[in-house]
Amino acid sequence: MACTCVVGLQWGDEAKGKIVDLLTSEHHVVVRYNGGANAGHTVVRNGRTYKLSLIPTGILAPHVTAVIGNGLVVNPVRFLEEVDQLRAAGIAIDGSNLLLSDHAHVIFPYHVEEEKLGDDGAAVAIGTTGRGIGPCYQDKVSRTNGIRVGELLHPEHLRQRLRSVVARKNTVFRALHGAAQTFDADRLCDEYLSYAERLRPHIQDTTVFLHQALRAGKNLLFEAAQGSLLDVDHGTYPFVTSSNSSAAGVWAGSGVPARNLTRIVGVIKAYTSRVGRGPFPTELDDGPQGIGERIRTTGREYGTVTGRPRRCGWLDVVAVRHAARLGGVDELAVMLLDVLSVVDEVRICTAYELDGRRIYDFPGDAFVLDRCRPIYETLPGWKQPLEAARKPGDLPAAARRYLDRITELVGLPVSIVSVGPDREQTVFMN
Ligand code: IMP
């Protein structure tokens, strides 16, 4: 039995989807355990590009059961849109290969509205994806307002719940924001009951399913969304997402105890990117002709979900080391190494300077990290395309040196290197 977790060690968008896709053939079940349709997973398979936000990328493999775990917040509209898109692309989907936890929480339109009003007006505008993720998690924790997927299957109960929740929401919308936008509980209920009929075949207690799968000796692959530095507990708070996006989320978000994990793959880009606001010590904000822009253009660094340009900068091993320790990571996958072919020399941030002192541990608080200045080590670049590399010997010496240095600084082996979006553009280092 193998239980693998693929987790991002930066601020998301580390190209985890490709690694999940590569490892899927060795697994029977692929599980998402956090977040919602704020994630953007791009997978290129047989020359076709799939962009998934909510549904685990494992769905593309016919032998896999894809599971949306209890830790997610699910917008039924997005779920059904993705199912339709996948079906149109020829992927067979039914209640046997796509499971949705009855314990996952449901995103309603008022969550999106709350986010709009909250994020625009808040003192700390986080720059969220605007998908209602944070407000839905708030309602989950509040208990009085949270509605779970399983409740969609009980019409009368759902109507009562929505009447009481929506009344509270409308009071707040009117009082605090003077918002013209209020919601009609009965209309919302009818709308969601119609979605429920299509969701019904997929809904079950996925924790029970996963435990059965474990007992049957099946291999499970846990697919994190976002990156560990966006983890609500361990990331750059408050510029984080609202879930445990590090490997710490597996247990709570799926019901599978962490001790079952046999392999944890930490995925990093060969540089760093970030969408949304928040501190980013190695950011290259060096203008339209600068290296930051060159990396953004070459790496096509625009958000999968929102289309926003991603902020780009050098690799930060202080941050990666923190995330790797937090996740109990065994090995690293280094993605988009080919993008760094456009620079003359490469830099790695090995420490920060904070108030005149050199520090090696990552300060999780955004207001402290904001004051940290990166200390760099510079290595020669390789200035040649890597897209055709298929084995370690195909990589130029300078690129291998860069990877070795990452291993030394993070203290973990690099097992997989990606040199392009296609599955074949991968170098297995062992
Ligand atoms: P939220 O998850 O929409 O609440 O957004 C919170 C923060 O997480 C914002 O900075 C987003 O840009 C960021 N974020 C959310 N999902 C992703 C992702 O999949 N990749 C990268 N950043 C993300």
Side-chain angles (χ1 to χ4, degrees):
M1 186 202 73
C3 256
T4 308
C5 177
V6 174
V7 62
L9 301 184
Q10 295 161 317
W11 281 288
D13 309 313
E14 297 93 349
K16 297 177 288 294
K18 172 169 168 174
I19 299 299
V20 170
D21 190 46
L22 284 171
L23 298 180
T24 291
S25 60
E26 303 160 20
H27 296 82
H28 306 97
V29 182
V30 177
V31 190
R32 264 197 63 185
Y33 61 86
N34 77 294
N38 49 350
H41 291 166
T42 307
V43 180
V44 182
R45 244 187 185 231
N46 303 328
R48 193 166 184 153
T49 302
Y50 299 89
K51 288 187 189 294
L52 298 170
S53 277
L54 181 61
I55 295 180
T57 43
I59 194 73
L60 301 174
H63 72 282
V64 159
T65 305
V67 174
I68 296 179
N70 59 280
L72 277 86
V73 287
V74 175
N75 183 334
V77 181
R78 300 265 169 210
F79 177 95
L80 295 171
E81 267 171 18
E82 279 186 34
V83 166
D84 289 342
Q85 271 170 32
L86 287 163
R87 284 195 179 132
I91 310 287
I93 297 182
D94 59 26
S96 69
N97 70 338
L98 177 59
L99 311 186
L100 170 59
S101 169
D102 56 357
H103 287 27
H105 275 250
V106 183
I107 296 181
F108 288 92
Y110 49 74
H111 290 130
V112 179
E113 188 64 16
E114 283 173 324
E115 181 156 36
K116 238 190 265 163
L117 294 167
D119 208 22
D120 285 352
V124 182
I126 294 166
T128 69
T129 57
R131 297 261 160 121
I133 306 294
C136 187
Y137 276 117
Q138 281 175 32
D139 280 354
K140 168 178 173 172
V141 182
S142 83
R143 295 154 297 162
T144 41
N145 288 340
I147 295 180
R148 306 209 284 191
V149 167
E151 294 177 76
L152 299 177
L153 301 181
H154 299 275
E156 273 323 300
H157 162 83
L158 180 68
R159 198 168 295 279
Q160 294 311 322
R161 287 284 291 138
L162 272 171
R163 281 180 183 161
S164 90
V165 173
V166 167
R168 276 194 294 278
K169 299 280 178 191
N170 284 345
T171 307
V172 175
F173 282 137
R174 282 194 210 99
L176 284 186
H177 305 291
Q181 173 72 292
T182 52
F183 293 88
D184 179 325
D186 284 305
R187 204 176 305 153
L188 213 49
C189 184
D190 294 340
E191 181 187 339
Y192 272 62
L193 286 175
S194 73
Y195 304 142
E197 279 320 300
R198 289 193 59 201
L199 298 180
R200 185 184 292 277
H202 305 282
I203 299 174
Q204 60 174 275
D205 185 335
T206 52
T207 301
V208 169
F209 170 83
L210 292 172
H211 283 265
Q212 278 164 355
L214 284 172
R215 280 200 300 278
K218 303 274 190 212
N219 295 342
L220 273 46
L221 175 56
F222 293 89
E223 175 179 1
Q226 293 85 47
S228 301
L229 303 179
L230 289 170
D231 186 288
V232 67
D233 284 292
H234 303 285
T236 49
Y237 193 88
F239 298 97
V240 291
T241 192
S242 301
S243 64
N244 286 116
S245 51
S246 67
V250 169
W251 194 331
S254 72
V256 173
R259 72 166 131 229
N260 289 283
L261 294 174
T262 50
R263 180 183 183 193
I264 304 181
V265 183
V267 186
I268 60 172
K269 277 179 178 161
Y271 47 93
T272 311
S273 73
R274 173 163 206 172
V275 264
R277 306 215 15 231
F280 178 178
T282 63
E283 181 170 14
L284 284 160
D285 197 3
D286 51 358
Q289 308 300 328
I291 294 175
E293 184 56 37
R294 235 185 294 161
I295 291 177
R296 177 160 39 248
T297 310
T298 315
R300 293 179 294 276
E301 293 292 354
Y302 297 88
T304 316
V305 173
T306 59
R308 292 180 287 181
R310 296 182 186 138
R311 302 154 64 192
C312 294
W314 296 116
L315 180 66
D316 181 344
V317 296
V318 183
V320 169
R321 214 166 30 218
H322 160 77
R325 284 180 190 149
L326 178 67
V329 167
D330 299 304
E331 61 194 270
L332 299 175
V334 178
M335 315 304 286
L336 293 127
L337 187 64
D338 51 300
V339 172
L340 289 187
S341 297
V342 296
V343 297
D344 298 324
E345 51 184 27
V346 282
R347 290 180 151 199
I348 304 179
C349 168
T350 57
Y352 298 142
E353 192 192 296
L354 176 65
D355 300 332
R357 282 182 311 117
R358 190 171 278 225
I359 61 164
Y360 295 89
D361 289 318
F362 187 73
D365 288 297
F367 73 97
V368 181
L369 189 61
D370 231 359
R371 293 191 289 114
C372 290
R373 299 289 154 255
I375 296 172
Y376 288 116
E377 184 174 303
T378 304
L379 280 77
W382 41 92
K383 291 294 279 176
Q384 55 176 287
L386 303 183
E387 286 81 352
R390 297 292 178 269
K391 50 187 193 309
D394 296 339
L395 294 171
R400 287 209 304 276
R401 176 80 197 104
Y402 184 61
L403 296 171
D404 288 344
R405 194 64 189 127
I406 294 172
T407 286
E408 286 163 13
L409 291 165
V410 182
L412 289 171
V414 174
S415 56
I416 304 173
V417 175
S418 175
V419 292
D422 284 324
R423 287 181 125 231
E424 296 67 37
Q425 293 177 299
T426 307
V427 180
F428 292 96
M429 298 302 282
N430 311 316

